[in-house]
Amino acid sequence: MANRGYVVDFSIVALCILVMVVSRAEPDPTKMTTALLIRVDQSGKGDYPTIQEAIDAVPSNNSELVYIWVNAGIYTEKVVVPADKPFITLSGTNANETIIAWKESGEIYVSPVFTVLASDFVGRYLTIQNTYGSGAKAVALRVSGDRAAFYGCRILSHQDTLLDDIGRHYYRSCYIEGDTDFIFGNAASLFEKCHLHSLSDGAGAITAQGRVSPVDTGGFIFLDCKITGVKTAILGRPWGAYSRVVFAFTYMSGVVVPQGWDDWGDSSKQSTSYFGQYECYGAGAITSKRVGWSHDLTFQEAAPFLTKDFIGGMTWIRPSPRSFKKFSNTTN
């Protein structure tokens, strides 16, 4: 009888532990189909008049999809999505009409118009613009959360437009504009069907990737993209010693200079950086005059960079919600 008592007690303890583990497991974003809806409208017809107020209303440690729909307008505000507020989607209906704008220069972690610190964030059909102009660091968008995706967005500035900082990120059908190092950081990111436009009137740099070691998973992959510009630009230069950037199936206009890449005045980075292209086309895609330390990739070499597997996207890139329910802010 005593032995049976111990068995029963152990089973109960094990069951309690299992329940606790399951209850604390993170939700699977690919299977989340219903979202809480918050409306932002400057005219007062929505739930909140500013984007930041809508984000602030989301509970800390949120575990539900929250869909913040932003009506057309120019929202002159700095926006931060805190680290404790995952699973937010922020969406306009047309990027040309839903604009988040701010004018500020300074350090790269201070000047951003829009900062994402949370995981599982989605941005859709928005213009995010730092209106400071040229001549100083003026970040439009900083993405420092894991598993973030942007669709149909316009990201605009001059120097340091997009701080693609850390985490795994996916950009699709976005327009990104700047002049100097305007896509930079050390995230592991896939840019698919994006348009990169250089405003530089000299040899500006499109990318400055910051990978710092050979085991670092960071890198920028551009798949089926388009490059245009005002004058000339290089594809990238190594912000980190092990900088990694690959362009595949990308149209490169004559704005891309024949050398393609630059070592940023440090020849030691030529042997550690990984800069390559695969099956690109256009006047700027000719590889015969590329720097000798860049890579004209074979299919086998390019294959690891040609799918969402590079960012583990199949496990976290989520579909749009299929249904919505009313958001209720219980803190008010």
Side-chain angles (χ1 to χ4, degrees):
M1 293 295 292
N3 288 339
R4 288 181 182 177
Y6 283 119
V7 171
V8 171
D9 290 345
F10 178 79
S11 299
I12 292 173
V13 171
L15 180 60
C16 290
I17 292 173
L18 178 61
V19 169
M20 291 173 63
V21 169
V22 171
S23 64
R24 292 179 182 177
E26 292 188 2
D28 182 350
T30 65
K31 296 179 180 178
M32 300 169 76
T33 59
T34 300
L36 300 171
L37 179 62
I38 302 176
R39 296 178 180 270
V40 176
D41 191 321
Q42 292 175 320
S43 70
K45 296 179 180 179
D47 299 301
Y48 298 96
T50 71
I51 295 167
Q52 190 63 60
E53 284 179 285
I55 292 169
D56 291 345
V58 177
S60 295
N61 303 313
N62 170 59
S63 60
E64 294 189 82
L65 286 187
V66 176
Y67 196 98
I68 301 175
W69 178 82
V70 185
N71 197 12
I74 299 176
Y75 294 80
T76 307
E77 56 177 306
K78 290 188 72 168
V79 177
V80 177
V81 184
D84 64 348
K85 297 191 177 185
F87 302 114
I88 289 176
T89 294
L90 187 72
S91 180
T93 53
N94 185 318
N96 291 312
E97 298 176 356
T98 308
I99 301 166
I100 306 167
W102 192 260
K103 181 180 180 180
E104 186 170 336
S105 67
E107 291 303 313
I108 59 174
Y109 294 107
V110 175
S111 64
V113 175
F114 197 107
T115 297
V116 178
L117 303 176
S119 65
D120 296 287
F121 176 85
V122 174
R124 297 168 57 87
Y125 312 125
L126 304 165
T127 289
I128 302 169
Q129 182 174 16
N130 193 321
T131 60
Y132 179 83
S134 61
K137 300 172 184 176
V139 178
L141 173 63
R142 170 191 171 189
V143 189
S144 299
D146 193 20
R147 303 186 300 269
F150 293 82
Y151 302 90
C153 290
R154 299 169 70 243
I155 307 165
L156 314 176
S157 187
H158 283 259
Q159 183 173 341
D160 298 343
T161 301
L162 170 58
L163 172 49
D164 197 50
D165 188 24
I166 54 173
R168 294 165 291 172
H169 308 150
Y170 179 58
Y171 301 83
R172 184 179 176 91
S173 302
C174 292
Y175 176 88
I176 307 169
E177 180 180 275
D179 54 28
T180 303
D181 305 329
F182 65 91
I183 303 174
F184 73 111
N186 191 27
S189 296
L190 175 62
F191 297 79
E192 188 170 8
K193 298 184 182 298
C194 291
H195 182 175
L196 318 178
H197 185 72
S198 171
L199 297 174
S200 175
D201 57 7
I206 295 172
T207 68
Q209 209 281 328
R211 188 167 172 256
V212 295
S213 81
V215 297
D216 191 331
T217 59
F220 297 162
I221 311 303
F222 297 88
L223 183 62
D224 195 16
C225 291
K226 176 168 70 173
I227 299 174
T228 60
V230 172
K231 193 173 181 182
T232 57
I234 58 173
L235 295 171
R237 53 184 182 168
W239 192 26
Y242 289 84
S243 179
R244 179 165 59 181
V245 181
V246 172
F247 288 87
F249 304 114
T250 290
Y251 169 76
M252 300 180 179
S253 71
V255 70
V256 178
V257 297
Q259 73 184 61
W261 310 90
D262 183 83
D263 64 12
W264 216 330
D266 185 350
S267 59
S268 68
K269 292 180 179 179
Q270 295 182 11
S271 61
T272 54
S273 298
Y274 191 90
F275 295 151
Q277 66 183 69
Y278 175 72
E279 294 292 333
C280 295
Y281 60 101
I286 299 170
T287 58
S288 59
K289 294 184 180 180
R290 290 286 192 259
V291 293
W293 42 276
S294 66
H295 303 272
D296 188 5
L297 302 174
T298 65
F299 173 75
Q300 288 75 19
E301 291 169 330
F305 308 116
L306 299 181
T307 71
K308 295 182 181 69
D309 290 342
F310 178 75
I311 55 173
M314 300 305 292
T315 65
W316 62 267
I317 295 176
R318 63 181 185 259
S320 296
R322 294 201 292 265
S323 60
F324 298 91
K325 56 185 179 179
K326 184 175 176 59
F327 174 81
S328 176
N329 185 358
T330 57
T331 62
N332 287 341

